[in-house]
Amino acid sequence: MSKGTVLVVTPVPRDLRDALAADWELRDHRRGDDGGWPPVPGIRVALTTSMAGADAALMDALPDLKLIACQGAGLDRIDLAAAAARGIAVANTPDVVTEDTADFGIALIYATARNVVRADRFVRDGRWASERMALSHRVAGKTVGIVGLGQIGSRLARKATGLEMTVLYTGPRAKPDAPYEYVADVADLAARVDFLVMTCPGGPATEKLVDARVLAALGPTGILINIARGSVVDEPALIAALGNGTIAGAGLDVFASEPAFDPAFLTFDNVVLQPHYATLTVETRRAIIGLLRDAIAGVPGG
């Protein structure tokens, strides 16, 4: 019996490819030189990622498509209205990334406030014998502002509370069941916190939500943590704020352009840079692969 086919429309991690290749034929598909998608009839499953997404033009080029399988939680780059209109299901992997992404937000709080990366470099550069490291800042007792109290934001808030931090949050609306103070305006939130942590969705509604006004409110002792999407931060404004001392530092796992991020970030010693790494644990990868395998297996003739 021949294998079904999964059309892979963007590069995906090797572990996912290997797992799916055991049961399906994987066929890579990319945009043509004109920027359009060459038509491929007979394909019932397309595999993408949250960063690459899937637009209406891709769906039009796959007239028999029944499922868009998306590695990742974010759906802002998938045209959900176009998919619904064509009867195409969309499967993503939101719940399994919650724990590790929230953990990573906490890790970046410590890495930035306690100078973890700077101290490592200080030792490796042989400076310990002749110099003294600059002082870091305590985390316990500080205030964290969470932008987007969804699954990841809520989990991070619980972890921060366990670390004796005060939690404030913002979002489109207050959540009556949330045991934290709601602040409607993101700049007002930034003015009241030590750490501003981005856990909101991407998309037009949150594009450049953190701009020069918000960064000025965060102030010279404040630290920005972004584990959401690069699009939620005005990167030129952030680069300027890091360079002129408007804020104390940043911990960044996501960028407006990945992996070709702005090289200006490399010039700052007060920034911890990560390669979109929050969900890359053995446990989460296993769960993501299992969810996508199950979703694809549920498509007849996939």
Side-chain angles (χ1 to χ4, degrees), residues 122 126-131:
F122 182 85
R127 298 166 57 191
W128 192 8
S130 57
E131 300 179 47

Side-chain angles (χ1 to χ4, degrees), residues 109-110 112-115 118 134-140 142 194-195 220-223 248:
I109 287 174
Y110 274 99
T112 52
R114 296 304 313 270
N115 290 338
R118 286 185 185 178
L135 298 177
S136 63
H137 289 275
R138 180 181 299 159
V139 171
K142 297 297 193 299
D194 301 289
F195 304 94
T221 62
I223 291 174

Side-chain angles (χ1 to χ4, degrees), residues 236-263:
L238 175 58
I239 288 168
L242 290 166
N244 62 27
T246 296
I247 65 173
L252 307 175
D253 189 44
V254 289
F255 302 87
S257 177
E258 298 177 11
F261 64 95
D262 193 319

Side-chain angles (χ1 to χ4, degrees), residues 173-196:
R173 64 196 62 84
K175 298 194 171 186
D177 296 334
Y180 318 110
E181 182 181 346
Y182 175 72
V183 182
D185 181 74
V186 66
D188 291 342
L189 177 69
R192 296 178 57 185
V193 304
D194 301 289
F195 304 94
L196 187 67

